Amino acid sequence: MTFTGFDILIPVLVVFVLLFLLAGVKTVPQGYNYTVERFGRYTRTLMPGLNIIVPFIDRIGARMNMMEQVLDVPTQEIITRDNATVAVDGVAFYQVLSAPQAAYQVSGLENAILNLTMTNIRSVMGSMDLDELLSNRDVINERLLRIVDEAAANWGIKITRVEIKDINPPANLVESMARQMMAERNKRAEILEAEGRKQAQILEAEGRREAAFRDAEARERAAEAEARATQVVSEAIAQGDVQAVNYFIAQKYTEALAKIGSSANNKIVLMPFEASSLIGTLGGIGAIAREVFANGEERPAARRSPARPPLTPRDSGGAE
């Protein structure tokens, strides 16, 4: 069997059509965008999935990763506003939002983001003192994120986060900071101790004042009681009750003898002559007291007891 030229041409054409169709079919994975260039000029963007282009006329330009990516910022030395040198490193997170802009607006996207982040770290942290640098990381991160994101917006890039990882001052500076911190803590401890002593003295003074007030109040109450007792005795005397007078004199006499006998400096106590008669009549004094109080409760105030002469040493059983 002989083949003519037409018989050979048909299979060749079929193979060519198949190759043409296969060349025009492009599959884009999830998380990526492909740019399409026609004769070197950008025309459109291929989304994830199955896409058709014109073979030999259109071609794939840039394959852009649309997922969020992390970029490690290397360590660099920074001079702060107070002339302290520190070593700083960090990390930046970014995401491509527009594949054509990221592909055609900047050359070397990652290198551009890296240099932009490093320069802004130097400018932001260099305008702060060392103490601010060590205590305000959140402020630094927020300022860096705002500045770098604004600068990268024209590239179709969204800077999602910029974080400072480590801030390493020199060893001698760390030692000086430790001494400063210790001095500050000692100062606070001394201030607290002084405040405690002050508070204790205030409380002690208030306690003394309260005690003095209570003592004065107690003396006032005792004086009122003594005045009341004297008034009662005076009223009894005014009414002619001689037994009350004798009871009052005997009580004072007994108190005076008790004070004399309790003296620590006297070995010998000289008793007055009337003391023997007083000691012998203590039982009589108790009876007189009971009679006085009983008469005060039972008899009306208008009735008076008959006049009775005061006790004499002879009547009390004493010798002259």
Side-chain angles (χ1 to χ4, degrees):
M1 181 177 179
T2 59
F3 294 95
T4 63
F6 184 76
D7 293 334
I8 297 173
L9 182 61
I10 291 175
V12 172
L13 290 175
V14 171
V15 172
F16 181 77
V17 170
L18 291 176
L19 292 177
F20 186 83
L21 293 176
L22 289 176
V25 175
K26 298 298 179 182
T27 302
V28 180
Q30 185 67 37
Y32 284 81
N33 282 355
Y34 291 175
T35 61
V36 178
E37 298 175 357
R38 178 169 295 177
F39 302 114
R41 180 181 178 183
Y42 167 77
T43 57
R44 61 195 177 96
T45 301
L46 301 182
M47 297 299 168
L50 187 64
N51 296 270
I52 303 295
I53 64 173
V54 179
F56 309 110
I57 298 177
D58 295 338
R59 71 181 184 90
I60 301 299
R63 292 172 171 85
M64 302 304 301
N65 187 347
M66 307 300 291
M67 296 178 288
E68 187 172 1
Q69 303 176 66
V70 59
L71 186 62
D72 190 26
V73 180
T75 302
Q76 58 178 334
E77 289 189 352
I78 295 173
I79 300 177
T80 61
R81 187 170 58 184
D82 52 353
N83 296 323
T85 303
V86 294
V88 179
D89 63 351
V91 61
F93 296 84
Y94 71 95
Q95 185 176 12
V96 177
L97 300 181
S98 174
Q101 285 182 289
Y104 303 111
Q105 293 292 333
V106 60
S107 176
L109 179 62
E110 289 190 357
N111 187 47
I113 297 174
L114 180 62
N115 283 277
L116 180 65
T117 305
M118 292 179 66
T119 54
N120 281 281
I121 286 176
R122 285 196 295 268
S123 62
V124 170
M125 301 182 71
S127 63
M128 304 173 69
D129 293 333
L130 180 61
D131 292 338
E132 288 183 272
L133 210 65
L134 296 175
S135 59
N136 295 322
R137 286 199 181 191
D138 292 339
V139 176
I140 296 172
N141 294 336
E142 189 273 333
R143 290 178 61 185
L144 285 173
L145 176 61
R146 186 179 67 253
I147 294 173
V148 176
D149 185 51
E150 289 178 358
N154 294 329
W155 302 340
I157 302 297
K158 174 63 178 178
I159 305 297
T160 58
R161 181 170 297 184
V162 177
E163 296 285 345
I164 300 298
K165 291 197 296 186
D166 293 321
I167 301 176
N168 298 318
N172 57 351
L173 187 58
V174 173
E175 185 179 356
S176 299
M177 293 170 61
R179 290 198 301 268
Q180 180 182 1
M181 180 185 66
M182 185 62 65
E184 184 68 23
R185 291 182 182 274
N186 292 334
K187 175 184 175 182
R188 293 180 182 178
E190 291 177 357
I191 292 175
L192 290 176
E193 186 177 356
E195 289 289 338
R197 289 196 300 267
K198 174 183 176 181
Q199 191 67 22
Q201 292 175 359
I202 292 175
L203 293 176
E204 184 179 357
E206 290 180 354
R208 290 196 302 268
R209 184 182 67 178
E210 184 68 19
F213 176 76
R214 296 296 178 86
D215 291 341
E217 186 178 4
R219 290 194 300 269
E220 182 181 357
R221 297 289 178 84
E224 290 178 357
E226 185 69 19
R228 179 60 181 170
T230 305
Q231 181 181 1
V232 171
V233 173
S234 299
E235 291 177 355
I237 294 173
Q239 295 174 1
D241 195 348
V242 182
Q243 291 179 348
V245 177
N246 293 336
Y247 173 75
F248 183 73
I249 295 173
Q251 182 183 11
K252 295 300 181 181
Y253 205 171
T254 304
E255 291 176 358
L257 291 177
K259 291 182 180 179
I260 294 173
S262 62
S263 176
N265 298 325
N266 296 329
K267 301 299 182 181
I268 299 175
V269 179
L270 300 177
M271 302 292 290
F273 178 75
E274 292 81 359
S276 59
S277 61
L278 177 63
I279 295 173
T281 59
L282 287 177
I285 293 174
I288 293 172
R290 286 193 296 270
E291 182 179 355
V292 169
F293 290 116
N295 293 335
E297 294 178 356
E298 295 176 359
R299 294 182 302 171
R303 297 180 59 186
R304 294 184 180 178
S305 62
R308 184 176 180 181
L311 295 175
T312 61
R314 184 179 301 275
D315 296 334
S316 303
E320 293 182 357

